[in-house]
């Protein structure tokens, strides 16, 4: 197909048409982005740019051009309103900027070096092709991400080109003499396409009809073989797939019973169903779904005829349910009805073969064995060789088929019986009077069933195949085959442990096949040999796809590699090569450095003149494409015309067509931008506020819906609300407050009542706290009052109890010890419990005065909790034992003695007179006993 793709495209305009014949004598301006040269050239690659009023037209080489591309001449033509462009073959350009002038996916073949002469363009094919096209390239222009396979005229070695070739004579010797174009493919697909697919420039695999898969590696359902052919038209299912043979497995079923809602019948062209004998429409409406009257369903699913004389019988065993008139059911065999024997008027029983006419017995018709009348229609049991059918006795042919029907003779029932349910016709293999109904074999089947050994089955059993002559009969395979298809000798599997290869039984699989389940399966078309049927299970590769990578056979290595036939693997190119045909620096097909060009297969430094450089994608200097004569040349040709702007950059003056000036913004521009930003911010705030209002309104509506408060508002209310939204209103003051609903009013009352209840509860709590403080204060006051009363009670003991004159008591005064008692109380004032416990442990008044222990228990009140005790006049709190007994504590304090009072000194002196203690002995409390002594003049201070 490449011969058809490689068509000569003549897309040159008027200037291009005249250029090849006049280029040697007419100067041309050739431009790339950033530079133009005026001179003589034969180059035709690219496009011609022209404009009305321009000094000259320009030949644009491939590249990208914008409105700021230098020089000025090129810029003026690119931005001209009257610019027009004419593309060479393979280029499709227009003057819209930016202009990306690039070769379309494919290859442009130029007959001369330096991309000269009239080009022939071959685009990227859409379908794979194994055909070749003859070429004679002087140079090649190859589009990006596309590779081309070429070969010489006398060799079949493939050379893969990834880059443009400016001069085919500069290629290495291994790539010289190119004469055939073998293949063009894109490298954009990952993973690469299979052999049947074609990679498009977009990076997807394009599959031809019949192929399927992301890489076009398999056949679509209903297609088979390496080329994915369609299965036969009359075949519903065939042996499909890449490794399939295309043999028909399931033929197309025409007029299947299911197409006309039929079960045991044949569909007609008008959609009607013709039932097999013994069948009728079922209760669910399905045609031929149940047994007709006079038939019963046996255990094999067939409708059999009931016995003679039986009008209705039961399914399964055929027991007669209703007998005809004149018949009675046989007691020994309930499937039979016995005819009542005829008797004459005198009671004589008529023998078989006769009937009673009343007066005598008369012979039956010759067709009858027993009868009820003289005609053949009166037969009960037909005679020899005759069988009952619709009340008549009919004969049978040599196959046992009843005359005038598709029924077969039943020697046991003496009737014509039905064929099996899926049979359209049946017969006996060799019919005679000894034949039984179970010997009947089908000769025709309903559509969708096949005939195997006289029975209609769903599919042919193992060891047989469907005869393609009628697509009905299952025929036995040859003895050498375990299974076959199409014919008895085309083996799918073989006996005696042999392998089936292309229908033959062999001992080992041939090349390009592999063994699987007793068969030799063909490898994928991409593989030469394989271990499986997939396209990534190759073990060796064919010549057109020589690269074996991860089980796949690919047509080429990557761009920076070459295929080494010796090692059958991809090897890296030399570092100086962008692509190559062999090892070393002398087999380069293109150079990796942008400052080198190809010379005899070797990359050498470019010697570009006129301040030019190597053109990207073309591999040649601009100065090598354009011959610029020196100014001192004396050649006969006219000098080059002077063209303005050919080497000057873009002007930024006011009179230039295009001005590119960078300047700072003015104050009003900055102000406008700031105002714009502020306006956008205000709009955002308004939108946000509007959104929040809508959300609040939605929440309010939801609450109103829950409380059943949705009421239709009047037009006045809506008008007022619109005015409030437009002009605003004070919070809580609206022009037209709606009347509160009873539920809202009750809700407000409930909230107010809850608040009042909380306030009352708080007041009650504060009052309780105040009352508790008052009770504590009264308790403390009562305690103090009790203390004062006790002080008065103690003061009464300061007077003598002798006599009634109330004279002062001779006993020492105890008042001075009252301070000790009060100091002790003060020390324990911080804990009422400690004070009460201490008072309960004090000695009685008797013990304090006499120093002797009490002889009787002290009166005490019951104590429930020592912390709750109050001072009592009957408890030890009324005694003065606290100043007689030291205060117990964890650390005993040092006794502190104050200055003795006169009463104390008197008591001490009395004690010293009776016991004569040492003068330095300190007085001890309660350790003395007072005795009356006549002292004469008394020194008792209490009597003073």
């Amino acid at each position: 197909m490449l011969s058809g793709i490689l068509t000569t495209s003549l897309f040159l305009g008027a200037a291009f048409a005249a250029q090849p014949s006049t280029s040697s004598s007419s100067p041309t301006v050739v431009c790339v982005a950033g530079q133009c040269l005026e001179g003589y050239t034969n180059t035709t690659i690219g496009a011609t740019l022209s404009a009305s009023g321009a000094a000259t037209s320009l030949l644009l080489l491939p590249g990208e051009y914008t409105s700021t591309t230098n020089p000025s001449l090129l810029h003026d033509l690119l931005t001209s309103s009257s610019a027009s462009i004419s593309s060479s073959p393979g280029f499709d350009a227009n003057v819209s900027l930016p202009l990306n002038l690039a070769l379309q996916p494919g290859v442009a073949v130029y007959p001369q070096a330096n991309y000269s002469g009239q080009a022939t363009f071959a685009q990227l094919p859409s379908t794979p092709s194994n055909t070749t096209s003859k070429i004679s390239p002087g140079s090649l222009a190859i589009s990006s991400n596309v590779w081309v396979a070429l070969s010489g005229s006398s060799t079949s070695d493939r050379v893969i080109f990834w880059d443009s070739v400016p001069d085919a004579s500069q290629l290495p010797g291994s790539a010289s003499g190119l004469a055939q174009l073998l293949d063009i493919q894109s490298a954009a697909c990952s993973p690469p396409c299979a052999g049947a697919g074609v990679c498009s420039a977009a990076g997807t695999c394009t599959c031809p009809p019949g192929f399927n898969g992301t890489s076009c590696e398999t056949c679509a359902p209903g297609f088979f073989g390496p080329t994915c052919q369609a299965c036969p038209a009359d075949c519903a299912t065939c042996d499909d797939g890449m490794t399939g043979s295309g043999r028909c497995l399931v033929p197309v079923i025409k007029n299947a019973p299911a197409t006309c809602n039929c079960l045991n019948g044949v569909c007609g062209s008008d959609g009607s169903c013709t039932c097999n004998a013994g069948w009728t429409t079922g209760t669910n409406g399905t045609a031929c779904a149940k047994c007709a009257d006079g038939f019963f369903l046996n255990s094999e699913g067939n409708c059999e005829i009931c016995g003679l004389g039986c009008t209705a019988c039961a399914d399964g065993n055929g027991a007669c349910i209703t007998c005809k008139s004149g018949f009675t059911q046989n007691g020994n065999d309930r499937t039979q009805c016995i005819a009542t024997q005829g008797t004459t008027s005198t009671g004589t029983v008529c023998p078989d073969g006769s009937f009673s006419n009343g007066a005598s017995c008369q012979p039956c018709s010759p067709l009858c064995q027993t009868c009820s009348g003289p005609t053949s229609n009166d037969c009960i049991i037909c005679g020899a060789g005759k069988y009952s059918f619709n009340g008549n006795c009919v004969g049978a042919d040599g196959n046992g088929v009843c005359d005038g029907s598709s029924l077969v003779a039943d020697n046991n029932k003496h009737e014509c019986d039905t064929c099996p349910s899926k049979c359209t016709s049946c017969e006996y293999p060799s019919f005679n009077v000894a034949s039984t109904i179970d010997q009947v074999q089908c000769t025709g089947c309903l559509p969708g069933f096949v005939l195997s050994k006289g029975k209609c089955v769903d599919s042919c059993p193992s060891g047989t195949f469907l005869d393609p002559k009628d697509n009905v009969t299952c025929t036995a395979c040859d003895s050498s085959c375990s299974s076959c298809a199409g014919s008895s000798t085309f083996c799918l599997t073989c006996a005696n442990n042999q392998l089936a290869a292309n229908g033959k039984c062999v001992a080992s699989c041939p090349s390009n096949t592999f063994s699987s389940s007793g068969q030799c399966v063909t490898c994928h078309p991409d593989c030469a040999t394989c271990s499986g049927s997939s396209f990534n299970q190759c073990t060796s590769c064919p010549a057109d796809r020589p690269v074996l990578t991860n089980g796949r056979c690919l047509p080429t290595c990557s761009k920076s590699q070459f295929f080494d036939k010796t090692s059958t693997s991809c090897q890296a190119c030399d570092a100086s090569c962008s692509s190559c045909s062999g090892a070393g620096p002398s087999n380069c097909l293109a150079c990796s450095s942008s400052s080198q060009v190809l010379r005899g297969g070797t990359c050498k430094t470019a010697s570009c003149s006129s301040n030019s450089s190597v053109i990207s994608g073309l591999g040649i200097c601009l100065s090598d494409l354009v011959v610029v004569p020196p100014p001192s040349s004396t050649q006969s040709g006219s000098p080059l015309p002077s063209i303005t702007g050919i080497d000057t950059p873009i002007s930024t003056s006011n009179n230039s067509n295009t001005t590119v000036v960078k300047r700072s913004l003015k104050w009003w521009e900055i102000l406008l931008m700031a105002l714009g930003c502020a306006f956008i911010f205000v709009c955002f705030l308004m939108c946000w506020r509007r959104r929040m209002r809508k959300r609040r309104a939605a929440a309010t509506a939801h609450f109103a819906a829950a409380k059943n408060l949705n009421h239709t508002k009047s037009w006045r209310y809506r008008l007022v609300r619109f005015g409030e939204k437009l002009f605003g209103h004070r919070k809580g003051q609206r022009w037209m407050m709606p009347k509160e609903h009873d539920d809202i009013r009750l809700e407000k009352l409930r909230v107010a009542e809850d608040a009042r209840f909380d306030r009352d509860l708080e007041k009650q709590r504060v009052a309780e706290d105040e009352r508790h403080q008052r009770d504590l204060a009264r308790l403390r006051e009562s305690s103090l009052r009790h203390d004062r009363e006790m002080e008065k009670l103690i003061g009464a003991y300061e007077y003598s109890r002798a006599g009634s004159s109330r004279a002062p008591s001779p006993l020492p005064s105890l008042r001075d010890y009252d301070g000790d008692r009060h100091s002790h109380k003060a020390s324990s004032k911080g804990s009422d419990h400690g004070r009460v416990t201490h008072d309960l442990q004090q000695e009685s008044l008797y013990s304090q005065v006499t120093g002797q222990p009490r002889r009787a228990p002290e009166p005490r009140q019951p104590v429930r909790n020592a912390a709750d005790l109050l001072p009592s006049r009957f408890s030890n709190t009324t005694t003065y034992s606290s100043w007689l007994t030291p205060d117990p504590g964890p650390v005993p304090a040092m006794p502190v003695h104050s200055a003795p009072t006169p009463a104390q000194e008197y008591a001490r002196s009395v004690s010293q007179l009776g016991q004569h203690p040492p003068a330095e002995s300190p007085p001890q409390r309660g350790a003395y006993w007072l005795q009356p002594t006549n002292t004469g003049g008394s020194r008792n201070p209490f009597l003073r």
Side-chain angles (χ1 to χ4, degrees):
M1 293 181 63
L2 289 176
S3 58
I5 297 173
L6 289 171
T7 56
T8 303
S9 305
L10 300 177
F11 299 115
L12 303 178
F16 246 118
Q19 191 178 31
S21 59
T22 60
S23 58
S24 60
S25 58
S26 301
T28 305
V29 178
V30 182
C31 295
V32 294
Q35 186 181 12
C36 290
L37 282 182
E38 182 185 11
Y40 299 94
T41 183
N42 291 325
T43 300
T44 59
I45 190 173
T48 301
L49 177 66
S50 59
S52 59
T56 183
S57 59
L58 306 179
L59 175 61
L60 302 183
L61 299 180
E64 186 173 359
Y65 301 87
T66 65
S67 59
T68 60
T69 301
N70 284 313
S72 177
L73 175 64
L74 175 59
H75 166 77
D76 292 343
L77 264 71
L78 288 173
T79 58
S80 174
S81 58
S82 60
S84 62
I85 193 167
S86 176
S87 303
S88 64
F91 291 87
D92 185 13
N94 52 57
V95 292
S96 60
L97 298 178
L99 171 62
N100 185 16
L101 186 60
L103 186 67
Q104 298 299 307
V107 57
V109 181
Y110 295 86
Q112 302 174 14
N114 299 341
Y115 310 106
S116 302
Q118 189 167 336
T120 301
F121 177 69
Q123 64 180 0
L124 191 67
S126 58
T127 57
S129 175
N130 295 326
T131 60
T132 61
S133 299
K134 293 184 178 182
I135 58 174
S136 179
S139 55
L140 296 172
I142 303 174
S143 58
S144 176
N145 214 17
V146 170
W147 59 267
V148 179
L150 303 176
S151 67
S153 58
S154 60
T155 178
S156 60
D157 293 342
R158 291 158 49 98
V159 181
I160 307 299
F161 289 88
W162 292 82
D163 302 282
S164 298
V165 179
D167 190 355
S169 63
Q170 299 297 330
L171 293 173
S174 58
S176 60
L178 301 176
Q180 298 184 66
L181 176 61
L182 304 178
D183 197 5
I184 305 173
Q185 289 195 31
S186 172
C189 296
S190 180
C193 300
V198 175
C199 182
S200 65
T204 58
C205 293
T206 304
C207 301
F211 287 86
N212 199 3
T214 56
S215 299
C216 307
E217 72 275 14
T218 61
C219 289
F223 295 84
F224 70 95
T227 58
C228 291
Q229 306 174 50
C231 290
D234 58 347
C235 187
T237 303
C238 75
D239 182 18
D240 56 6
M242 279 281 185
T243 59
S245 61
R247 295 182 304 272
C248 187
L249 302 179
V250 178
V252 175
I253 301 174
K254 298 179 181 179
N255 297 327
T259 59
C260 60
N261 193 27
C262 186
L263 191 60
N264 296 294
V266 179
C267 293
S269 58
D270 58 351
S272 62
C273 180
T274 303
C275 296
N276 290 344
W279 293 92
T280 187
T281 303
T283 56
N284 60 354
T286 302
C288 312
K290 74 172 185 177
C291 294
D293 294 339
F295 296 84
F296 71 95
L297 188 67
N298 64 10
S299 59
E300 297 179 356
N302 301 323
C303 283
E304 289 187 22
I305 194 168
C306 294
L308 284 173
C310 185
T311 58
C313 49
D315 291 339
N317 57 6
C320 190
I321 300 174
T322 305
C323 293
K324 293 181 180 179
S325 177
F327 287 81
T328 58
Q329 192 170 24
N330 190 343
N332 297 325
D333 187 359
R334 300 186 62 85
T335 62
Q336 295 181 359
C337 290
I338 302 174
T340 304
Q341 287 183 317
T343 58
T344 63
S345 58
T346 60
T348 302
V349 177
C350 293
D352 290 343
S354 63
F355 69 96
S356 174
N357 61 359
S360 62
C361 293
Q362 299 294 325
C364 296
S365 170
L367 299 177
C368 302
Q369 181 179 345
T370 61
C371 64
S372 60
T375 64
S376 61
N377 293 333
D378 297 326
C379 292
I380 297 174
I381 298 176
C382 295
K386 302 295 182 182
Y387 302 91
S388 178
F389 175 64
N390 291 335
N392 297 320
C393 290
V394 296
D397 60 13
N399 295 321
V401 179
C402 294
D403 296 338
S405 71
S406 61
L407 303 181
V408 290
D410 189 339
N411 289 325
N412 290 325
K413 294 181 180 180
H414 302 281
E415 293 181 288
C416 293
D417 209 344
T418 58
C419 294
S421 59
K422 304 304 178 184
C423 300
T424 56
S425 61
C426 59
E427 62 183 17
Y428 288 95
S430 57
F431 179 71
N432 53 50
V433 294
S435 298
T436 56
I437 194 66
D438 57 356
Q439 296 176 348
V440 171
Q441 293 184 355
C442 297
T443 57
C445 297
L446 293 176
F449 293 87
V450 294
L451 187 62
S452 175
K453 295 181 180 180
K455 294 182 179 180
C456 292
V457 294
D458 293 331
S459 60
C460 290
S462 177
T464 62
F465 70 98
L466 186 64
D467 193 341
K469 296 178 181 179
D470 57 6
N471 285 332
V472 173
T473 306
C474 294
T475 306
C477 295
D478 187 76
S479 59
S480 61
C481 302
S482 297
S483 61
C484 59
S487 69
S488 60
T489 57
F490 191 93
C491 299
L492 298 179
T493 57
C494 298
N496 303 323
N497 294 325
Q498 288 189 312
L499 301 173
N502 295 324
K504 303 296 182 181
C505 292
V506 295
S508 61
C509 290
S511 178
N512 197 32
T513 62
F514 67 97
S515 175
S516 175
S517 301
Q519 294 179 319
C520 294
V521 183
T522 305
C523 293
H524 193 276
D526 286 0
C527 307
T529 60
C530 61
S531 60
S533 60
S534 178
F535 76 130
N536 57 1
Q537 292 180 305
C538 301
T539 56
S540 64
C541 299
D544 59 338
R545 303 180 71 85
V547 182
L548 181 62
T549 303
N550 297 326
R552 287 200 58 186
C553 290
L554 304 178
T556 180
C557 301
S558 62
K559 181 177 181 180
S560 59
Q561 295 178 328
F562 70 95
F563 181 72
D564 184 11
K565 290 184 178 181
T566 303
S567 62
T568 64
S569 62
C570 293
Q571 302 295 329
C573 295
D574 187 77
S576 62
C577 305
S578 173
S579 59
C580 63
S581 60
S586 60
N587 286 311
C588 294
L589 300 178
C591 299
S592 58
S593 175
S594 60
S595 61
Q596 291 181 326
V597 293
L598 190 66
R599 293 290 182 265
T602 304
C603 290
K604 296 183 179 181
T605 303
S607 300
C608 301
S609 60
S610 302
N611 296 324
S612 64
S613 60
V614 177
I615 304 172
S616 176
L618 298 182
I620 190 172
C621 297
L622 178 61
S623 58
D624 292 340
L625 296 178
V626 182
V627 177
V628 181
S632 60
S633 176
T634 58
Q635 61 181 348
S636 59
S638 59
L640 296 177
S642 176
I643 301 177
T644 305
I646 196 171
D647 54 0
T648 57
I650 301 174
S651 175
T652 57
S653 60
N654 294 333
N655 56 2
S656 178
N657 292 335
T658 303
T659 303
V660 180
V661 179
K662 293 184 178 179
R663 62 179 181 82
S664 59
L665 298 176
K666 296 183 179 180
W667 66 269
W668 57 271
E669 294 175 332
I670 299 175
L671 178 61
L672 285 179
M673 288 190 293
L675 291 177
C677 294
F679 176 75
I680 294 174
F681 179 72
V682 170
C683 291
F684 171 76
L685 287 181
M686 292 179 65
C687 293
W688 178 82
R689 185 166 179 249
R690 180 181 180 86
R691 184 170 179 266
M692 291 298 104
R693 283 185 174 181
K694 288 184 177 180
R695 292 182 61 180
R696 289 196 297 271
T700 303
H702 181 70
F703 173 78
K707 296 296 184 178
N708 196 18
L709 303 179
N710 291 327
H711 299 290
T712 304
K713 298 178 177 61
S714 64
W715 65 271
R716 296 184 180 87
Y717 180 85
R718 291 195 294 269
L719 180 61
V720 171
R721 295 289 78 79
F722 174 76
E724 290 178 350
K725 291 181 180 179
L726 185 62
F727 300 104
H729 62 87
R730 293 184 179 180
K731 185 178 181 181
Q733 295 183 1
R734 304 186 73 168
W735 294 352
M736 182 186 296
M737 296 298 292
K739 183 179 180 180
E740 288 187 349
H741 196 270
D742 292 341
D743 292 342
I744 298 179
R745 183 170 55 81
L746 291 177
E747 183 69 18
K748 291 182 178 179
L749 291 177
R750 186 185 64 77
V751 173
E753 183 64 22
D754 291 344
R756 186 185 63 78
F757 176 77
D758 292 342
R759 290 195 299 273
D760 292 345
L761 189 63
E762 182 65 22
K763 289 180 180 179
Q764 184 177 0
R765 188 186 62 77
V766 173
E768 288 290 340
D769 292 344
E770 293 178 352
R771 183 165 60 253
H772 179 66
Q773 294 296 332
R774 289 195 299 271
D775 291 343
L776 292 178
R778 284 197 297 270
L779 184 59
R780 288 193 294 271
E781 184 179 355
S782 176
S783 177
L784 293 176
R785 184 168 60 250
H786 181 270
D787 291 344
R788 288 194 297 270
E789 290 177 356
M790 292 305 299
E791 289 178 0
K792 291 179 183 180
L793 178 62
I794 293 172
Y797 284 95
E798 295 179 354
Y799 299 96
S800 175
R801 288 177 287 179
S804 60
S805 59
R806 298 292 181 179
S809 174
L811 296 176
S813 175
L814 302 177
R815 182 175 298 278
D816 292 336
Y817 292 91
D818 186 52
D820 295 336
R821 178 176 64 83
H822 286 293
S823 65
H824 177 69
K825 289 183 178 182
S827 66
S828 60
K829 188 176 180 180
S831 174
D832 292 340
H833 175 69
R835 178 174 59 80
V836 173
T837 304
H838 177 70
D839 291 344
L840 291 174
Q841 294 175 353
Q842 291 179 354
E843 298 178 357
S844 64
L845 181 61
Y846 173 80
S847 299
Q848 295 178 20
V849 175
T850 63
Q852 299 296 328
R854 186 178 179 87
R855 295 183 178 88
E858 295 186 17
R860 296 178 181 271
Q861 292 183 352
V863 178
R864 291 172 298 183
N865 188 358
D868 297 336
L869 289 175
L870 297 177
S872 173
R873 62 181 300 181
F874 302 105
S875 66
N876 280 341
T877 58
T878 62
T879 66
Y880 266 71
S881 60
S882 60
W883 56 274
L884 295 174
T885 304
D887 186 15
V891 180
M894 297 299 294
V896 180
H897 299 282
S898 60
T901 63
Q904 292 174 348
E905 291 180 358
Y906 173 75
R908 185 175 59 183
S909 64
V910 173
S911 175
Q912 291 175 354
L913 290 175
Q915 300 178 6
H916 302 284
E920 63 275 11
S921 178
Q924 297 184 5
R925 298 179 180 179
Y928 53 85
W929 180 260
L930 298 181
Q931 297 181 355
T933 303
N934 188 6
T935 60
S938 175
R939 291 184 291 108
N940 190 347
F942 299 105
L943 301 178
R944 294 178 183 176

